[in-house]
Amino acid sequence: MKRIMILTSLVICIACSSARRMPEGDMEGARETASMENGRHQYMKYCQKCHPMGEEGLGPALNNKPTPGFVEKFQVRHGLGAMPAFKKDVISKNDLKDLIKYLHARKKAKRLS
C-alpha cells in the first residue's frame, strides 16, 4: 500500500512538473513569428500575383528597392500607375504593418544571400 502511494505521488509530481512554461522572451518571439507569418499571408494574398517572390512581374521588383516603410505604406494605401489602392477596409492597419515588416525581412534576406 505504501509503495502504491509513493508511486502515485511520484507520477503526479512528474506529470505536474512537465508542464512547459514559456519564458517572457519566448512570448515576444512567438508574437514576432505570428506577425511575420501574417505579413507573408498578406503578401501572398495581395502582392504575389503582381510581384512574384518580390521579383518583377506585372509590377516592379520589390526585393532590390531600399524604400522606407512609410513610402511603401503610402504606395499600398494610394496606389500608383497600375497598382491599385488598398484601403483600410481591405488591408487593416495591423496587417499593413506586418506586410511591410515581412517585405523588409525579405529584402534583408535577399541582400545577405
Side-chain angles (χ1 to χ4, degrees), residues 39-104:
R40 187 185 78 70
H41 173 75
Q42 299 305 318
Y43 182 85
M44 297 307 272
K45 185 174 181 181
Y46 297 108
C47 310
Q48 173 69 13
K49 55 189 146 219
C50 295
H51 307 278
M53 300 309 291
E55 299 299 333
E56 186 174 9
L58 291 174
L62 303 176
N63 291 335
N64 60 356
K65 305 275 190 275
T67 314
F70 74 92
V71 173
E72 293 169 332
K73 287 179 184 177
F74 183 86
Q75 179 76 29
V76 170
R77 287 290 182 229
H78 301 282
L80 186 63
M83 181 169 168
F86 295 95
K87 300 298 181 189
K88 288 180 184 177
D89 61 330
V90 177
I91 300 177
S92 74
K93 184 177 179 179
N94 243 9
D95 288 345
L96 180 56
K97 183 178 136 194
D98 291 347
L99 172 61
I100 299 302
K101 187 185 297 184
Y102 173 74
L103 283 174
H104 286 213

